[in-house]
Amino acid sequence: MIYCANNNTLYSQAADASRDLGIDETALSRHLSGQRKTAGGYVFSRVVSKDGDFKSIRSWLLYSAFKIILDCDDEPIIFQGGERV
């Protein structure tokens, strides 16, 4: 699974995130491997489960990339089959 901190969305695979956000899949792959700080202005992380601590993950990703301090309790949006659930 791929988590996007900018839009608080979980994607089942990088190709879904790439299509949904209109970013190059190669740029996303380089970002996920640590070669780039962002991909198309977005920050992502690989996650193992839908049950993670997304508030901490999101806060850390947004701060490390943009120095944004985030204080919210939103649950992530699930992206399945080309639609947000």
Side-chain angles (χ1 to χ4, degrees), residues 35-52:
Q35 297 174 24
R36 295 178 59 131
K37 189 172 183 176
T38 65
Y42 295 91
V43 288
F44 298 88
S45 179
R46 292 189 189 279
V47 294
V48 178
S49 166
K50 293 179 186 178
D51 300 325

Side-chain angles (χ1 to χ4, degrees), residues 39-82:
Y42 295 91
V43 288
F44 298 88
S45 179
R46 292 189 189 279
V47 294
V48 178
S49 166
K50 293 179 186 178
D51 300 325
D53 180 8
F54 290 98
K55 180 180 179 183
S56 296
I57 294 168
R58 188 176 192 203
S59 294
W60 181 82
L61 288 170
L62 292 175
Y63 183 79
S64 65
F66 306 113
K67 304 301 182 234
I68 294 172
I69 298 174
L70 186 67
D71 186 24
C72 68
D73 290 325
D74 296 343
E75 290 297 318
I77 299 163
I78 308 295
F79 186 87
Q80 291 179 329

Side-chain angles (χ1 to χ4, degrees), residues 16-25 40 42:
D16 290 337
S18 176
R19 273 192 307 275
D20 183 43
L21 301 172
I23 60 174
D24 182 65
E25 200 168 341
Y42 295 91

